[in-house]
Amino acid sequence: MKEEVSTEQNIEEQWIEELLTLGKDEKLTPKQISILQAAIEVFSEKGYSATSTSEISQKAGVAEGTIFRYYKTKNDLLLAIVGPTMSRMLAPFVLRNFNGVLDMPYDSFEEFLRAFMINRLDFARKNFKILKILIQEIPFQPTVRAQFVENILSKILERVIDIVEHFKEKGEIIEVPTPTLIRFTLSSVVGYLMNRLLLQPDKDWNDEEEINLTIAFIMHGISKTTPPI
Amino acid sequence: MKEEVSTEQNIEEQWIEELLTLGKDEKLTPKQISILQAAIEVFSEKGYSATSTSEISQKAGVAEGTIFRYYKTKNDLLLAIVGPTMSRMLAPFVLRNFNGVLDMPYDSFEEFLRAFMINRLDFARKNFKILKILIQEIPFQPTVRAQFVENILSKILERVIDIVEHFKEKGEIIEVPTPTLIRFTLSSVVGYLMNRLLLQPDKDWNDEEEINLTIAFIMHGISKTTPPI
Amino acid sequence: MKEEVSTEQNIEEQWIEELLTLGKDEKLTPKQISILQAAIEVFSEKGYSATSTSEISQKAGVAEGTIFRYYKTKNDLLLAIVGPTMSRMLAPFVLRNFNGVLDMPYDSFEEFLRAFMINRLDFARKNFKILKILIQEIPFQPTVRAQFVENILSKILERVIDIVEHFKEKGEIIEVPTPTLIRFTLSSVVGYLMNRLLLQPDKDWNDEEEINLTIAFIMHGISKTTPPI
Amino acid sequence: MKEEVSTEQNIEEQWIEELLTLGKDEKLTPKQISILQAAIEVFSEKGYSATSTSEISQKAGVAEGTIFRYYKTKNDLLLAIVGPTMSRMLAPFVLRNFNGVLDMPYDSFEEFLRAFMINRLDFARKNFKILKILIQEIPFQPTVRAQFVENILSKILERVIDIVEHFKEKGEIIEVPTPTLIRFTLSSVVGYLMNRLLLQPDKDWNDEEEINLTIAFIMHGISKTTPPI
DNA sequence: TATGAATGAGTTTTCATTCAT
DNA sequence: CATGAATGAAAACTCATTCAT
């Protein structure tokens, strides 16, 4: 009798499975998981176009034909990987604020920022490879781009606009056009994530400290003089 | 007899030529220019790996073999495009400060930032397609990445560190680790450039205003309250 | 409890079963019938080589493996379809004339022709798709061709030669080499069947009239002048 | 120095070239001719669907990729073979009868039939393999069928109707619906060609004699008695 | 120098067939 | 019996690169 121990391998597999079955009730077969794992690995390493299906099949330990039983084309395989992850990007934004009421659980913009950064750093860390694939392919895959812009980005922005304007009204943040404020904020957050995970992943980071500094920067800038209120 | 008028086409060709012959004394032949133009176009549109040399040759109006007369491999063609542009990224940083003396022509960090942003926006606008190719391929082309990190990035950082520390010493900017300060600054600048050129190129931008706002943000943040000095 | 009513579907199934079990005592299972029906449909529509077994299994509503349970190879499936039909082509010729005696139930060649055409039109109509498959594949499938020539064609010809020579001896038909006479006759008959079923199946045919005309043509040609006896 | 002798090989190549460049001014390259020759050979032998491009390339003595330089798809290769031959089927019918005048160079239907049969036997003999491919694929290739029906068959029939009705009016042939008369005639002609070239190509045929007999059959049938005028 | 025909290894994809369940 | 996941060989087609002209 096979004893099901929770090896690291198993954990990874479960993660992939949970990750890529969003909204579907089918379970993935072990071969399917291998294929997805291998594809994520190689796509993120060499890029979608530069990856051959034969390489994926080898890495996954399945026959090449098996890939095409599950995914009609190589492009379908890509979509099966990036699609659910895109949807998950939306999650923290749509959970709240249902039925039109602005349900803001944060007392200050800083508090919101901290929660947001911690949450998204965690998400990005867990989905690092897939996000890399997604970012790489958005410029080139019309299908992916359309889905991302229409279903994800616009909805996220909608929500973020609400939040920013909420705190503008409360007098917490300055009177600058909302898109510009969002750009400032996201630049700093994304800038941190990119450095943290992509450019210098091996540096010895103190995440809490860096997040605090980043938030302080977003709120107060880097000048020693007081801002010209 | 063909009269050589300075058409827009010609200007573009000269630009490409100037752009891609950095540090070499050879002149580019017309065919070579066509090839480079076509390659830049298609690489930036479909990605390096997804572009076929036959497509480039067609767009360039030359025979397939001609490409390989000038560039031994498809990869060499890529390097011929991104290489000189990488070098040019370095230019504004190395022109000054030669022979070890810190020659700082800016009276304040703000002034430096403004000059920097205007200059780099101009550069990025002119080299947009090539920069897009470069950014896309850095993760996948070890040659490109190595060259970028060793010859370009490290030298830019070196210089920027000097500048930032100069103004830290002058008491203009806060006592936060220099790499973090650089990250803040570059995140905001790059964030602006990406929005401006990549994400919303068609929006009606007021560059001067946005640059001012961005600098104000970097210096003073977005909070209405004074920073806790 | 399922009541077995004799729906049109059932009739079709029985027909297939009767058709394809010639000379065997096994009964076909329902799955087998589905497979054969589907295969006949798709083979006749797209051709044997251009048909995939997966397409057949889908159309038949069975698993891919099931086909290979009944028919070891795709080619065996083809043979299972065309084999019995070939045998049935022989039927009207071998029912009579057994034990060497020329048992000729027709008083005139015309009478024979009429019976023959009516009978074969009926047969061809009922077996249209299978005959189409057979005709298409005879040139390419050595197995099929050999079986057809040795077991079917030669025996049919043998019998037809007897008949034609019988009426030649009786002085009813002209003194032309028998193979040529058979060619004349079969060309006209087959020409009618092809037009009737294959080339213009949707035309509003008056079969009795056309058969009469065809027989008149075979006997007397199309000239208004009398033949030069 | 290469001596250009008119070997049988050369004659065959010229024939193919002449055959397949109908209406185009490009010349075929030697490789292209090899490819076409090989494709005609194998398609007619094994059928279009059952033939692999690798087999064609081997037989043609070229690399597989070379086939696709000339013909974008396997299907294009098929069309390049059957298209011009279809057009040539039309030739003897459109040469005459231009500008609406019925220009009938034959004094009797028999004379027309003889010329027609000799001409078409010659054509079929020369184009035997291609015609075999054409006949085999017409049922399965919508493109081929459409082209055949619209551009070829309808035009041939138009012309043949004119001819048949011309001789009906002259009182040479019987008052039977023209389509039926055409069917009689073509059945006999095609029946001869099929026997001659396809079913019994190795028999020792006396073509002149057989053509005479066939024409006599079409005109007067096989009965010894006079027709019932 | 420039060409473009030719290549053959490689790509994505299909498919008849097998086999553990 | 029946399934359908899995296979791997082969299919159609692509592509960077070479080379004779």
Side-chain angles (χ1 to χ4, degrees), chain B residues 9 12-13 16 32-42:
Chain B
Q9 181 58 19
E12 160 100 356
E13 282 177 15
I16 294 266
Q32 212 168 352
I33 293 173
S34 307
I35 291 168
L36 289 167
Q37 272 181 307
I40 290 168
E41 195 69 36
V42 195

Side-chain angles (χ1 to χ4, degrees), chain A residues 124-150:
Chain A
R125 209 199 304 261
K126 280 186 184 141
N127 298 281
F128 179 62
K129 285 174 188 165
I130 299 179
L131 288 173
K132 199 181 159 202
I133 298 168
L134 182 59
I135 291 166
Q136 288 288 339
E137 291 308 318
I138 276 181
F140 303 138
Q141 308 276 344
T143 340
V144 177
R145 181 168 53 237
Q147 202 188 331
F148 182 72
V149 171
E150 282 160 40

Side-chain angles (χ1 to χ4, degrees), chain D residues 31 62-63 65-66 69-70:
Chain D
K31 298 254 169 192
V62 303
T66 306
R69 277 196 68 75
Y70 289 108

Side-chain angles (χ1 to χ4, degrees), chain A residues 200-211:
Chain A
Q200 309 185 64
D202 300 327
K203 187 173 150 180
D204 190 27
W205 291 88
N206 178 343
D207 283 317
E208 206 187 327
E209 174 69 4
E210 290 290 346
I211 287 174

Side-chain angles (χ1 to χ4, degrees), chain C residues 28 32 35-36 67-73 76-77 80:
Chain C
L28 298 178
Q32 212 168 353
I35 291 167
L36 290 167
I67 293 176
F68 292 89
R69 190 145 292 283
Y70 290 107
Y71 307 99
K72 243 168 64 73
T73 67
D76 282 358
L77 175 56

